[in-house]
Amino acid sequence: MIKQTAGRDALGANIDAEAFAATLMFPLGAPNEAYAQYFSGRSWLAPLTAQQVPTSNVTFEPGCRNNWHIHHADKGGGQMLICVGGRGYYQAWGEEAIEMKPGDVVNIPAGVKHWHGAAPDSWFAHLAFSVPGENCTNEWLEPVTDEQYGQLS
Ligand code: MN
């Protein structure tokens, strides 16, 4: 059974998130309400820059992950992730999940269906770089099911 923190209220989750963020060199930011519909669990978003290579720090509570999604582009594009705290996963469709620990880098080409998020028992934070390209759009798909998530080692 996956350990979840769904029983905690928003205030409790925020205190935990701030305590986790205090161990990192990047800000926690605000509750990720704009994209909450595409996440299972609570996440926080801290935009770091919108120039050159738009970059944000994204923090996930334990068990939180985003839906399957695709970063589309006609040329270039895609996403690069660098773990800056905790432990989490990246998984491309049809492939084994890759564990992410601080310092680990994942390069996600445009057009690849994937998800990223926290391990069941750990907070997780990664920088997300939007690689510049032509006609970049994000397509949000179905949630990662508990069965898919439960296969993580
Ligand atoms: Mn992504």
Side-chain angles (χ1 to χ4, degrees), residues 120-136:
D121 60 351
S122 178
W123 286 80
F124 177 56
H126 67 51
L127 302 183
F129 301 81
S130 298
V131 180
E134 293 179 6
N135 298 320
C136 294

Side-chain angles (χ1 to χ4, degrees), residues 66 69 71 79 81 108 114-116 140:
N66 51 31
H69 62 281
H71 306 290
Q79 187 180 45
L81 307 177
I108 308 168
H114 68 280
W115 66 271
H116 26 112
W140 290 98

